[in-house]
Amino acid sequence: MKKYVNEAVCSVDYAFRRIGGKYKGRILWYLNDQTIMRYGKLRKALTDITPKMLTQTLRELESDNLINRRVYHEVPPKVEYSLTETGAELIPFINYLRIWGDKQIEKEKMESIKC
Amino acid sequence: MKKYVNEAVCSVDYAFRRIGGKYKGRILWYLNDQTIMRYGKLRKALTDITPKMLTQTLRELESDNLINRRVYHEVPPKVEYSLTETGAELIPFINYLRIWGDKQIEKEKMESIKC
DNA sequence: TATACTAGTATCTAAAAGCATACTATTGCT
DNA sequence: AGCAATAGTATGCTTTTAGATACTAGTATA
C-alpha cells in the first residue's frame, strides 16, 4: 500500500526538497562566487564528486530552474553553468547558513581545546 | 577501500548536514512557532511521520544542540521540546526559505493556469 | 482486573541517495 | 593512425534514509 505524496506539505518542505542533497548548496554557492562555471571546473571544486552525481545534481537544479545550462556546440564540448534569478534569490540564505556554520565550527574547536 | 570523510568540507556543507533530512526544517519551524511542544503534538504536526523517524530526528537535533529535550518524571510520561539558542539562530534563515518557497509555489500555480 | 494515557523501542523492509569504475563521441593536432 | 580534450553515459553496487508494524512501561481510574 503506497501513498503518493509528491506534493510538498508546506513551503518549508518545498524549499528543502529543492536544495537538499549532498552537493546542491555548495554548487549554488560556487556559482554565485564564480558567476559562470564549466562542468570540469565544478567537478574540481566539488572534490571527489563522481561525474554521475554531478550530472544528476546539475540536471535537478536545472529542472527546478535554479541554474542555467548553456551548451556551446563545439568540439571538445563546452557547457557553462550559472545561477538563474530564482537561484540567486537563495544566495542570502545560503550565506546566512554559511556564517552560522562557521560559528558552530569555531565553537566546536573551542570546546575540543578545553578537553 | 573506504575514505572516511566525516568532516565537513566547508561551512555550507557543515550546515546542510545539520538541517538536511526530511523533517528537520519543519520541526525547527514548528518549535519556533509554538515555543514548546510535546512529543505527541509534534507527531500530529508532522502528519504521518512514524514514531521511529520522529524520535530519531529529535535525537539528532538534540545531539547537534539545536533543540532542548526536557523530561518530566511523571506517569504518563511528559517530554517537552524547544529550540536552543543555536537552533533559534536558524529561524531567520528558515523563514527566508519559507517565503522563497511560497513565492515559487505561487509561480508554479500561475504557470499551470496558463496551460 | 482491564483500560487509557504518553513517549517512546524493536525489528524488519523498502526506497532513495550516493559511489566506483569503465566507457563514449567528435574533432584537431602530431 | 593515435592521442588529447571535454562533458558527459552506463552499469552495478553500497550506504543511508525512511516506512510499516507491533510492542513496552508505570500509574490512575473505571
Side-chain angles (χ1 to χ4, degrees):
Chain A
M1 178 172 42
K2 252 189 198 173
K3 288 171 201 163
Y4 271 110
V5 187
N6 255 336
E7 291 217 0
V9 178
C10 66
S11 44
V12 174
D13 188 36
Y14 175 97
F16 268 95
R17 291 197 196 184
R18 259 140 206 86
I19 53 148
K22 195 166 176 182
Y23 303 103
K24 286 186 181 177
R26 280 157 70 201
I27 290 177
L28 296 175
W29 183 248
Y30 291 142
L31 286 180
N32 176 63
D33 189 53
Q34 307 276 317
T35 313
I36 289 178
M37 283 174 96
R38 293 176 62 180
Y39 186 91
K41 202 170 172 188
L42 277 166
R43 198 169 159 183
K44 272 166 217 154
L46 300 155
T47 32
D48 296 333
I49 194 176
T50 60
K52 186 192 156 199
M53 275 309 297
L54 180 52
T55 302
Q56 188 181 305
T57 307
L58 289 171
R59 293 293 140 81
E60 283 174 26
L61 290 170
E62 194 194 354
S63 83
D64 282 338
N65 194 34
L66 300 180
I67 62 171
N68 296 122
R69 177 168 178 270
R70 179 170 182 190
V71 181
Y72 293 80
H73 294 286
E74 296 173 5
V75 167
K78 180 175 175 184
V79 180
E80 289 180 345
Y81 293 94
S82 59
L83 292 179
T84 60
E85 217 176 292
T86 304
E89 285 173 10
L90 286 172
I91 294 302
F93 136 76
I94 293 174
N95 192 36
Y96 191 102
L97 209 52
R98 195 183 54 83
I99 292 167
W100 179 88
D102 261 346
K103 212 166 96 184
Q104 298 320 116
I105 291 169
E106 208 46 48
K107 261 196 216 165
E108 278 180 22
K109 251 190 230 158
M110 287 301 159
E111 270 161 40
S112 71
I113 287 168
K114 266 193 241 163
C115 296
Chain B
M1 179 172 41
K2 253 189 196 171
K3 288 170 201 164
Y4 269 109
V5 187
N6 255 337
E7 292 217 0
V9 179
C10 64
S11 43
V12 174
D13 187 36
Y14 175 97
F16 268 95
R17 292 196 196 185
R18 259 143 208 84
I19 54 150
K22 195 166 177 181
Y23 302 103
K24 287 185 180 176
R26 280 157 70 200
I27 290 178
L28 295 175
W29 184 248
Y30 291 141
L31 286 180
N32 176 62
D33 189 54
Q34 308 276 318
T35 312
I36 289 178
M37 285 174 95
R38 293 177 61 181
Y39 185 90
K41 202 170 173 190
L42 276 166
R43 197 170 159 181
K44 272 166 216 153
L46 299 155
T47 32
D48 295 334
I49 193 175
T50 60
K52 186 196 154 198
M53 275 310 297
L54 179 53
T55 302
Q56 188 180 306
T57 307
L58 289 170
R59 293 292 140 83
E60 282 174 26
L61 289 170
E62 194 195 355
S63 84
D64 281 339
N65 195 34
L66 299 180
I67 63 171
N68 295 124
R69 176 168 179 271
R70 180 169 181 190
V71 182
Y72 293 80
H73 294 284
E74 298 173 2
V75 168
K78 179 175 174 184
V79 179
E80 288 180 343
Y81 293 93
S82 58
L83 291 180
T84 61
E85 217 177 292
T86 305
E89 286 174 9
L90 286 173
I91 295 303
F93 132 78
I94 293 175
N95 193 36
Y96 188 100
L97 210 51
R98 196 183 54 81
I99 293 168
W100 179 88
D102 261 346
K103 212 167 96 183
Q104 298 320 116
I105 291 168
E106 209 45 49
K107 260 196 218 167
E108 278 180 22
K109 253 190 229 158
M110 288 300 160
E111 270 160 39
S112 71
I113 288 169
K114 264 192 241 161
C115 295

